[in-house]
Amino acid sequence: MKKIIGTLVLFICLSSIGYCQFTKGRFMAGGSLSATSSSYNYNDGSATSKSNSVSFYPQVGYFMINNFAAGVGLSLSRSHYKAPSASPTGDVSSNSINFSPFARYYIHKFFGQATFERGTSKTKTEGTSGSPYHLKNTGWSLSAGYAFLLNNHVAIEPQVGYGINYVDTSAGNNTTNGNLFLKAGIQVYIGR
């Protein structure tokens, strides 16, 4: 009986060590990186276009209470669209930056995160004499993830979620994009 109780106490102590990353007063810092490349072939075989993008999402947060962190992140993106040779428009390049406050709640090592985004992007069509145009971005996302703890301070965190982005161009054209996403990042937990 003493062995069973001793084993149970040891298991509870070791389990609580695994979750100590999410306690009040700690900071979290990390982010994720994504890259995509796409190729589009037209049905008649007349043309092919290509698209490439790279995005970086650094973030920092603070645990206000146990298991609940709030913070801010940035979304930095660069994309390039290569138009088909038969196209009357040129290649398009775009740079964007979004300010992204977030709130995250952990249940054991699982977490849910809500993010709001507000930012701007600049798009330029190459080969035209027109000036770049600016877009205003507003959006939100909800995601769920899991913290694979490598040690008491570092975790790899895959996330799956859904987001909506509202884009307002300087010409007054508005678009709404909804997307599912899957991403993975690294998080470092700092403090006591």
Side-chain angles (χ1 to χ4, degrees), residues 3 17 23 32 37 42-43 45 49 55 60 63-64 105 108 116 143 153 158-159 161 168 188:
K3 288 182 181 180
I17 289 171
T23 56
S32 60
S37 180
Y42 295 89
N43 288 340
S49 60
S55 300
V60 63
F63 284 90
M64 297 177 174
Y105 188 78
H108 298 289
F116 175 77
S143 62
H153 298 285
Q159 290 183 55
D168 181 17
V188 177

Side-chain angles (χ1 to χ4, degrees), residues 35-99:
T36 60
S37 180
S38 304
S39 180
Y40 308 94
N41 295 315
Y42 295 89
N43 288 340
D44 61 4
S46 63
T48 300
S49 60
K50 294 183 180 180
S51 174
N52 297 302
S53 66
V54 175
S55 300
F56 178 55
Y57 309 96
Q59 68 180 20
V60 63
Y62 178 75
F63 284 90
M64 297 177 174
I65 60 174
N66 288 347
N67 300 319
F68 177 78
V72 66
L74 286 175
S75 171
L76 308 166
S77 300
R78 167 101 173 120
S79 63
H80 182 78
Y81 171 76
K82 181 165 180 52
S85 56
S87 174
T89 62
D91 296 352
V92 178
S93 295
S94 178
N95 296 311
S96 68
I97 183 168
N98 290 312
F99 175 74

Side-chain angles (χ1 to χ4, degrees), residues 24-36:
K24 179 181 177 180
R26 291 196 84 180
F27 287 91
M28 57 188 276
S32 60
L33 179 69
S34 69
T36 60

Side-chain angles (χ1 to χ4, degrees), residues 135 137-140 162-168 174-180:
L135 308 171
N137 306 315
T138 304
W140 59 266
Y162 180 78
I164 291 185
N165 190 28
Y166 307 97
V167 180
D168 181 17
N174 299 328
T175 61
T176 302
N177 304 323
N179 59 17
L180 290 171

Side-chain angles (χ1 to χ4, degrees), residues 134-157:
H134 297 273
L135 308 171
K136 294 179 184 174
N137 306 315
T138 304
W140 59 266
S141 67
L142 297 173
S143 62
Y146 185 80
F148 288 103
L149 299 169
L150 302 177
N151 57 37
N152 282 338
H153 298 285
V154 180
I156 295 174
E157 297 182 343

